[in-house]
Amino acid sequence: MVSDQQIYMNRELSWLKFNERVLEEAESSQTPLCERLAFASIYQSNLDEFFMVRVGSIVDQKTLTPQLRDSKTNMTPEEQLSAILERVHMLNARRDAVYAVLMEKLEEQGIRLVDFRKIGRRQSEILEKYFDSEIAPLISPSIVGRRQPFPFLRNKDIYAVVVLGRKNGKQKLGLIPCASGVFPRLIKVPFSENTYMLAEELILHFIPKVFEGYDIKAKSLIRVTRNADIDADALYEEDIDYREFMIQLIKKRKRLAPVRLEFSRALDDDIVKTLCGYMDVDKRHVFKNNAPLDLSFLFEIQDFLRQKSELFYQRRIPQKSPAFVSGRSILAQVAQEDKLLSYPYESMKPFLDMLSEAANDDQVVSIKMTLYRVAKQSKVVEALIEAAENGKNVLVLVELKARFDEENNIEWSRQLEQAGCHVIYGLDGYKVHSKLCLITRREEGGIRYYTQIGTGNYNEKTARLYTDLSLITANQQIGEEAANVFNALAKGETVEETRCLLVAPNCLQNKVLDRMDEEIVHALRGEKAYIGIKINSLTDKAIINKLIEASKAGVKVDLVVRGICCLIAGVKGATENIRVVSIVGRFLEHSRIYIFGTEERAKVYIASADYMTRNTLRRVEVAAPIDDPKIKARVMEMFDLMLHDNVQAREQQPDGNYRRLQPGEDEPISSQDVLYEQAYALALKQTENKG
């Protein structure tokens, strides 16, 4: 009998395994040095968000529902927290070790990051003058006392904390914010080329000058991470303007309770206990770091080395898609046949050109679109504004609850409204995460729909960094169902039934389960049966259980899951027919592909939805069928290529751990490199044919 512990993994611990794979890229000597710096910083920023959102949520659960158990591993909130904190301590030790290695590697490249132990007296004197003239006038020190309460520490900002002593034996705490935004984080050290010091280290060193008259008993840099897990729908009241409500919610989130406290230097237990008391932080949530508390400066160091191309990945530029002919109407080309764009290998330009064309086409009646995360300088939004100014009916659903992009979306919603677009903000209880665009055009035969459905956001920046797929089709049944989605959204409702699209929350999970059941039936008949899924995360227990059922029935199941995977593959008697692969590389794997059936009868979809309950049941998501035989074959070939990746892929083992695949005697295959090489080759061939 197979136990739950053998086939299910806790969500949070699985996420930490994903971030461990990110850290492995920083550790790997096969990764170019400057890219290793990026992965180290990404590991930290990922962990920041994990504490803000997931750990924050579990801390709340521990307080409000301490007996609530994880549906997969039966762990209580307290058990999950204990396991998380233990694992993070282990991973951070690796982070500290790889940081030390990276600093040594940077010195070999002529870049040094130093503290006062590594510089001379003359350099110290000049830095002291710099501190006196450029930094001291800009900092705001405070001393905690009866009339001076402990100050509010901003989320993720760095502070210098000092224990101050007086002759009477009494001690006080002094604090200085180190992130003013006015002086630079990296400070040039005089008389040493390409040598730098972090501003917070400079402040900490000269802190006795700030607190004159006191004995400095101890000092450290500290950084607090605050809970950011707020349920907007639970707090919203109908009589409040929703956009203004979200503005206030963002402000509130910045002041939520701390869930982690980091130190740069060891302090006495009594001091740590005092600080924890002031901020109401459980001492178990305290971390002592040997690496700097904020690694974002590593991107700035990257810039110092831009001229050394060998320290970076090979330069890649999104290529012109061979599916489109230059100089011809995009809409006319889509009317002839379905089109697929594959980012970042192919340029987003054809989609942007289509939006611009629609904005200026007299026959276009309306453009409707869902926006979840858009660029700071968005050509997509510019095209929508242009369309509205040209008299088109433009409906835009801007999801103000897109976590950490709320402020950007609020600003864009204002600009869209000012241009005359009809802006709506989503649904009560549901985030709108779908990537859906519908252009309605009046033609000779009547009204015609042009629909774009994607796996990624309408964001020109991430289209160069994330792997995503974008289907553009003139299929009228798809267009009609997309129109139904927008009509429902405009009324504050969700679609109840669909025929070709899979649309959450009502028509995606159930239809996915139905497709899996079809494969189970084939397997039970003794026929070949297959399920292939590429997603970011797998946590939906109903789907996990169906995959286990499929495996037991003999269905072959391939899962390409970048991040969280709560299913453990390869366990005899339960999941031996399931393989789980995770690809972590240069580009963030973000596309979602669903394949049901063997090659000759496969039903293939691309989607915005991961197999997480939040996606399948608590969001508006859309999956589109791939009907065009050439596009279907292309998507299946891409999926098969990922299954054969032996450079950036890790395969999950029956114990839940991941093993990095090695080429061995086989040809090295990096799926991301191959797809880019193919894009370059096709673009070159198209240019040669034109010539």
Side-chain angles (χ1 to χ4, degrees), residues 33-77:
L33 175 58
C34 284
E35 308 297 349
R36 294 174 70 180
L37 299 178
F39 279 110
S41 184
I42 292 167
Y43 164 84
Q44 185 209 43
S45 60
N46 282 350
L47 198 61
D48 287 347
E49 185 170 333
F50 177 71
F51 269 87
M52 291 164 64
V53 179
R54 296 306 309 167
V55 175
S57 175
I58 295 173
V59 168
D60 290 343
Q61 288 178 19
K62 180 185 171 185
T63 302
L64 301 172
T65 53
Q67 300 307 315
L68 182 70
R69 292 183 177 271
D70 169 40
S71 64
K72 302 169 189 70
T73 57
N74 206 37
M75 296 172 74
T76 64

Side-chain angles (χ1 to χ4, degrees), residues 36 200 605:
R36 294 174 70 180
E200 60 264 28
Y605 298 81

